[in-house]
């Protein structure tokens, strides 16, 4: 048997692959016996014997000896691994398992699970960039409750924290960026500044979620107004207020559209640079947004109420063109319907228009037309088998003389009426419902009026059966992202 002896200091001792007799010596030692059947003495100090295996893999037997049956230690037997059967003397204070993640305190033959895990903290904010007069709530989420986490534990540059509050594992504070600044704000919590109930200090200061960086641009912008003509407006690097006036007006930014966020306001739109460089610009009476990579159309116009129109008009426009109608096309649908045309008649007329035949060429075979219609309209809301069956039904209907309009009105109209719980087509029915909700909001609330089909398709493109349309805020955010990303960023 090998003999290994520690020093008077704090040692980390590892045994050999055979049986060892290990003496920790003085100091607080961590001892790993290794693969053999070892005899381990802790010595002075607070000593821990460590095993790599899980606690459940071991059989522990307390040892008592002498006239008074005094506790003399443990045998620790690895039942499934290769760490042997060790004899641990009573001068060892802790046993650890799973490579130190589980620790038991030894107290006169009784084992007590001990918390030795350091708490962690994650810092989050709803905002990624802040502009003039803006603030944001910072949330601090701890992995374990702490009673001594305080505002003074937070390091802040580029602004100030106020209204610090919370307890246990959740705390919040209000962050206000420095005025007239473009310097990013950094909020972090260093290691060793707070503890959990077992007095373990946090040790995650270098973790990525322990530092929050916010883009900042708190410089004031300018207020500019266009003329009665078609104007091109360019803001400053601050937060500008731009009113295009009459005409078709364009606001230009120098960076790619992916740098920006588009949100609707009561009087128009707001374009926010997510990197903080160009500020957050408020737009009124503006029809086009020009970025370095693409143009976004946000034309709008007032309209009469569509409340008396059947929702099927939305459904069949979406089905025929894979797009939201917008005000201009919806006014055409309303005029035809109010004139006395049925929905079926309107569908038959609209499917002869170039906007439809440019996508579904009149030279397509019935089979290929069926496949294209199913794939473009159903998307991924049904299985491949169901879509194959649906395309075959369309081909069969066209083969017996149905018009394309009749197919769209009948086949896709029936799909829209399916129960949401239908195992085959319920997902498609839900997708149709979601698409109508988004198209209605875009048309009736945002009053968007472009006839550019690419833009109208962008609005509908990201909508699926699982898209949330639970609130106006959710829908307007979806539309803003769809417009600025071309339908690819939702």
């Amino acid at each position: 048997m090998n003999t290994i002896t520690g020093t008077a200091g704090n040692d980390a001792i590892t045994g050999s692959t055979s049986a060892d007799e290990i003496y920790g010596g003085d100091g607080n030692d961590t001892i790993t016996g290794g693969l053999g059947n070892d005899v381990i003495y802790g010595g002075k100090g607070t000593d821990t014997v460590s095993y790599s295996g899980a606690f459940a893999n071991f059989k522990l037997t307390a040892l008592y000896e002498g006239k008074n049956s005094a506790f003399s230690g443990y045998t620790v037997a690895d039942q499934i691994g290769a760490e042997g059967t060790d004899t641990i003397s009573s001068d060892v204070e802790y046993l650890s398992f799973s490579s130190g993640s589980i620790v038991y305190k030894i107290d006169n033959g009784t084992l007590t699970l001990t918390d030795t895990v350091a708490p962690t903290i994650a810092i989050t904010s709803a905002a990624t960039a802040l502009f003039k007069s803006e603030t944001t709530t910072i949330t601090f989420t701890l992995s374990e409750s702490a009673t001594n986490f305080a505002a003074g534990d937070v390091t802040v540059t580029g602004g100030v924290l106020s209204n610090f509050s919370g307890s246990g594992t959740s705390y919040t504070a209000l962050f206000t960026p420095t005025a007239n600044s473009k310097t990013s704000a950094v909020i972090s919590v260093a290691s060793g500044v707070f503890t959990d109930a077992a007095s373990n200090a946090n040790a995650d200061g270098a973790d990525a979620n322990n530092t929050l960086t916010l883009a900042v641009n708190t410089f004031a912008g300018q207020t500019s107004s266009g003329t009665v003509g078609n104007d091109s407006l360019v803001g400053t690097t601050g937060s500008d207020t731009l009113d295009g006036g009459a005409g078709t007006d364009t606001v230009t930014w120098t960076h790619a559209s992916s740098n920006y966020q588009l949100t609707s306001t009561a009087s128009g739109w707001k374009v926010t640079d997510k990197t903080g460089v160009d500020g957050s610009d408020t737009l009124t009476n503006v029809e086009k947004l020009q970025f370095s990579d693409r143009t976004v159309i946000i034309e709008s116009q007032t309209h009469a109420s569509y409340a008396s129109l059947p929702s099927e008009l939305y459904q069949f426009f979406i089905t025929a063109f894979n797009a939201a109608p917008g005000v201009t096309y919806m006014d055409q649908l309303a005029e035809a319907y109010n004139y006395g045309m049925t929905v079926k008649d309107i569908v038959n007329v609209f499917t002869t228009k170039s906007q439809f035949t440019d996508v579904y060429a009149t030279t397509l075979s019935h089979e290929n037309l069926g496949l294209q219609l199913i794939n473009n309209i159903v998307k991924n809301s049904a299985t491949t088998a169901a879509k194959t069956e649906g395309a075959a039904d369309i081909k069969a209907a066209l083969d017996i003389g149905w018009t394309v309009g009749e197919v769209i009105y009948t086949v896709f109209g029936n799909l829209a009426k399916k129960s949401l719980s239908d195992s085959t087509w319920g997902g498609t029915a839900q997708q149709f419902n979601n698409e109508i909700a988004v198209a209605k909001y875009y048309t009736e609330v945002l009053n968007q009026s472009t006839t550019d089909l690419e833009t109208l398709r962008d609005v509908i493109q990201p909508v699926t059966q699982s898209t949330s349309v639970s609130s106006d805020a959710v829908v307007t955010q979806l539309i803003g992202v769809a417009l600025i990303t071309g339908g690819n960023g939702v």
Side-chain angles (χ1 to χ4, degrees):
M1 178 175 287
N2 302 311
T3 299
I4 303 172
T5 303
T7 69
N10 301 331
D11 302 309
I13 302 171
T14 300
S16 68
T17 56
S18 58
D20 301 305
E21 190 170 64
I22 301 174
Y23 297 87
D26 299 339
N28 304 325
D29 306 311
T30 300
I31 302 169
T32 304
L35 303 183
N37 299 326
D38 307 306
V39 178
I40 300 173
Y41 300 90
K44 295 180 180 180
T46 300
D47 306 307
T48 302
V49 175
S50 179
Y51 295 92
S52 62
F55 177 75
N57 295 348
F58 293 84
K59 179 180 180 181
L60 279 70
T61 305
L63 302 176
Y64 300 90
E65 62 182 29
K67 186 175 181 180
N68 297 320
S69 296
F71 173 67
S72 62
Y74 273 98
T75 58
V76 180
D78 185 352
Q79 299 183 97
I80 66 171
E83 295 186 78
T85 298
D86 299 335
T87 302
I88 311 296
S89 73
S90 61
D91 55 4
V92 170
E93 285 74 26
Y94 292 95
L95 297 176
S96 77
F97 300 89
S98 299
S99 299
S101 62
I102 303 296
V103 178
Y104 284 86
K105 181 177 177 15
I106 303 172
D107 186 6
N108 199 31
T110 300
L111 293 179
T112 304
L113 183 63
T114 302
D115 178 10
T116 62
V117 178
T120 61
I121 186 170
I123 307 173
T124 56
S125 166
T128 57
L130 292 174
F131 304 95
K132 183 176 174 61
S133 302
E134 292 185 344
T135 60
T136 189
T137 297
I138 307 298
T139 300
F140 305 89
T141 304
L142 281 60
S143 61
E144 301 179 61
S145 292
T147 58
N148 61 347
F149 179 59
D153 298 330
V154 185
T155 300
V156 181
T157 60
V160 294
L161 286 182
S162 60
N163 300 337
F164 185 90
S165 64
S167 62
T169 62
S170 182
Y171 299 80
T172 59
L174 184 69
F175 177 75
T176 303
T178 302
N180 298 321
S181 173
K182 282 190 175 182
T183 301
S184 294
V186 180
I187 302 162
S188 63
V189 175
S191 294
V193 298
F194 67 90
T195 58
D196 61 14
S199 298
N200 299 306
N202 70 301
D204 64 332
D207 288 359
N209 66 354
N210 205 32
T211 297
L212 175 69
T213 301
L214 301 172
V216 169
N217 183 347
T218 50
F219 283 100
Q222 66 181 13
T223 299
S224 299
S225 297
T227 67
V228 295
N230 302 329
D231 303 303
S232 181
L233 304 176
V234 179
T236 68
T237 56
S239 296
D240 306 303
T241 300
L242 306 174
D243 186 340
T248 300
D249 307 303
T250 303
V251 178
T252 299
W253 290 266
T254 57
H255 302 293
S257 58
S258 58
N259 281 21
Y260 299 88
Q261 178 180 354
L262 178 64
T263 53
S264 67
T265 67
S267 58
W269 296 87
K270 179 176 285 189
V271 177
T272 301
D273 184 349
K274 293 183 288 187
T275 69
V277 174
D278 284 336
S280 182
D281 302 326
T282 301
L283 313 179
T284 306
N285 299 316
V286 170
E287 286 70 39
K288 294 182 180 180
L289 314 177
Q290 182 64 59
F291 302 99
S292 64
D293 59 333
R294 66 190 309 269
T295 300
V296 176
I297 301 173
I298 53 169
E299 297 172 358
S300 64
Q301 70 180 50
T302 58
H303 57 85
S305 172
Y306 301 136
S308 63
L309 300 179
S311 62
E312 285 85 355
L313 287 176
Y314 279 99
Q315 173 62 61
F316 292 119
F317 191 94
I318 294 169
T319 301
F321 301 105
N322 202 24
V327 172
T328 302
Y329 284 126
M330 201 64 198
D331 280 350
Q332 294 178 16
L333 294 172
E335 181 180 8
Y337 185 79
N338 292 331
Y339 184 77
M341 292 180 68
T342 66
V343 174
K344 184 177 181 180
D345 293 336
I346 294 170
V347 174
N348 268 318
V349 170
F350 266 72
T351 50
T352 64
K353 290 181 175 290
S354 61
Q355 293 93 330
F356 181 86
T357 57
D358 285 347
V359 177
Y360 303 103
T362 56
T363 56
L364 284 173
S365 68
H366 291 171
E367 180 180 8
N368 287 336
L369 177 58
L371 288 171
Q372 284 196 27
L373 284 169
I374 283 289
N375 288 330
N376 290 344
I377 296 167
V378 175
K379 302 178 183 176
N380 294 318
S381 63
T383 65
T384 300
K387 290 194 291 183
T388 300
E389 181 181 347
D393 289 342
I394 292 173
K395 177 183 181 301
L398 293 170
D399 286 345
I400 63 172
W402 284 25
T403 66
V404 175
E406 288 173 329
V407 166
I408 289 178
Y409 177 82
T410 304
V411 175
F412 292 102
N414 289 340
L415 292 183
K417 296 172 185 175
K418 290 286 187 180
S419 169
L420 300 184
S421 60
D422 184 273
S423 60
T424 303
W425 295 107
T428 302
Q430 182 64 68
Q431 176 184 293
F432 288 172
N433 288 347
N434 294 345
E435 289 172 335
I436 290 172
V438 172
K440 278 190 172 183
Y441 195 90
Y442 175 81
T443 303
E444 299 184 20
V445 180
L446 299 181
N447 306 319
Q448 296 296 285
S449 59
T450 183
T451 57
D452 178 65
L453 271 181
E454 182 178 350
T455 298
L456 297 174
R457 288 184 179 120
D458 289 343
V459 175
I460 293 300
Q461 179 180 328
V463 182
T464 69
Q465 72 269 31
S466 57
T467 298
S468 173
V469 292
S470 57
S471 68
D472 288 352
V474 169
V475 174
T476 191
Q477 180 183 19
L478 181 148
I479 292 172
V481 174
L483 287 173
I484 207 162
T485 62
N488 296 316
V490 180

